[in-house]
Amino acid sequence: AQSVAQPEDQVNVAEGNPLTVKCTYSVSGNPYLFWYVQYPNRGLQFLLKYITGDNLVKGSYGFEAEFNKSQTSFHLKKPSALVSDSALYFCAGVPQDTGRRALTFGSGTRLQVQP
Amino acid sequence: GAGVSQTPSNKVTEKGKYVELRCDPISGHTALYWYRQSLGQGPEFLIYFQGTGAADDSGLPNDRFFAVRPEGSVSTLKIQRTERGDSAVYLCASSKGKSFSSGANVLTFGAGSRLTVL
């Protein structure tokens, strides 16, 4: 069975400071990994995706994530947080090479950026 | 259309009633997914269509849940004999292609249908 864990229910950071939202995964074999963001009353929006190759993935709105196979982690980062980054963030994964398309999502982390 | 459209946005029903939720995917997207998101949780996979056929329905919780996509575009999620535990936001997503190995192939989600069973 596969799982994705987001150990923090909420992350608080001051505007202008770097932010990190943590994600660890347990997926058989190599994973595809994703980050999505959810704003109130809106659908999940894709931020970035790890397929293979470069462990540092750059995505939308200045976000990036680092794939670390030895630590089975895919933490989301941004060098300088904005108040508008405040939202609910979800990490998701699925095994490669299985044909499986069902993403397993973490429980989400609420990011609060204070002015 | 420009995005994934889901109707109704809100549905309140009574325990035991039948409910249909509709999803209109992005034009040209062959893959369609249904997920369920309960309060405070991440989305849980229900079913995945490639074209008209259900390629993976392993996430449907029981036989009260059923989904169709007869013409390979619009999909309807059907819930019979609704229970209070079915209350959740039902999310639909679509994507093009058959594999996540393409960097361009990602799920685009609709805003969801919030179902409340009284």
Side-chain angles (χ1 to χ4, degrees), chain A residues 6 9 32 34 36 38 41-46 48-52 88 90-91 94-97 99-108, chain B residues 31 33 35 37 40-45 48 50 56 58 91 95-112 114:
Chain A
Q6 294 181 244
D9 290 337
Y32 295 122
F34 305 79
Y36 279 84
Q38 188 174 39
N41 301 315
R42 297 178 64 179
L44 279 78
Q45 296 178 30
F46 170 77
L48 50 80
K49 168 185 179 181
Y50 171 78
I51 307 172
T52 187
L88 193 54
F90 290 97
C91 182
V94 66
Q96 297 188 19
D97 304 323
R100 188 154 168 79
R101 303 294 296 277
L103 295 183
T104 299
F105 281 83
S107 56
Chain B
Y33 307 76
Y35 283 79
Q37 186 175 16
Q41 301 295 320
E44 293 178 286
F45 170 78
Y48 152 58
Q50 184 62 42
D56 182 355
S58 62
L91 300 171
S95 71
K96 52 186 175 182
K98 295 186 178 181
S99 171
F100 289 129
S101 62
S102 165
N105 188 15
V106 297
L107 271 64
T108 301
F109 283 84
R114 181 178 299 278

Side-chain angles (χ1 to χ4, degrees), chain B residues 19-35:
Chain B
V19 166
E20 288 189 352
L21 305 175
R22 174 188 167 108
C23 173
D24 199 343
I26 291 174
S27 178
H29 279 193
T30 57
L32 185 145
Y33 307 76
W34 284 100
Y35 283 79

Side-chain angles (χ1 to χ4, degrees), chain A:
Chain A
Q2 51 225 11
S3 64
V4 174
Q6 294 181 244
E8 302 155 317
D9 290 337
Q10 181 155 327
V11 170
N12 298 307
V13 64
E15 187 174 31
N17 283 0
L19 69 88
T20 299
V21 182
K22 295 180 180 177
C23 172
T24 59
Y25 67 89
S26 174
V27 172
S28 54
N30 293 316
Y32 295 122
L33 295 165
F34 305 79
W35 276 101
Y36 279 84
V37 60
Q38 188 174 39
Y39 296 98
N41 301 315
R42 297 178 64 179
L44 279 78
Q45 296 178 30
F46 170 77
L47 282 179
L48 50 80
K49 168 185 179 181
Y50 171 78
I51 307 172
T52 187
D54 194 350
N55 290 341
L56 185 63
V57 179
K58 293 188 183 295
S60 306
Y61 312 117
F63 284 94
E64 58 187 29
E66 184 168 11
F67 173 66
N68 188 318
K69 188 170 183 177
S70 63
Q71 297 185 6
T72 62
S73 67
F74 189 56
H75 300 333
L76 181 70
K77 300 184 179 187
K78 187 173 182 181
S80 179
L82 300 172
V83 172
S84 58
D85 292 331
S86 299
L88 193 54
Y89 290 80
F90 290 97
C91 182
V94 66
Q96 297 188 19
D97 304 323
T98 62
R100 188 154 168 79
R101 303 294 296 277
L103 295 183
T104 299
F105 281 83
S107 56
T109 299
R110 185 165 300 282
L111 173 66
Q112 196 70 39
V113 181
Q114 288 125 358

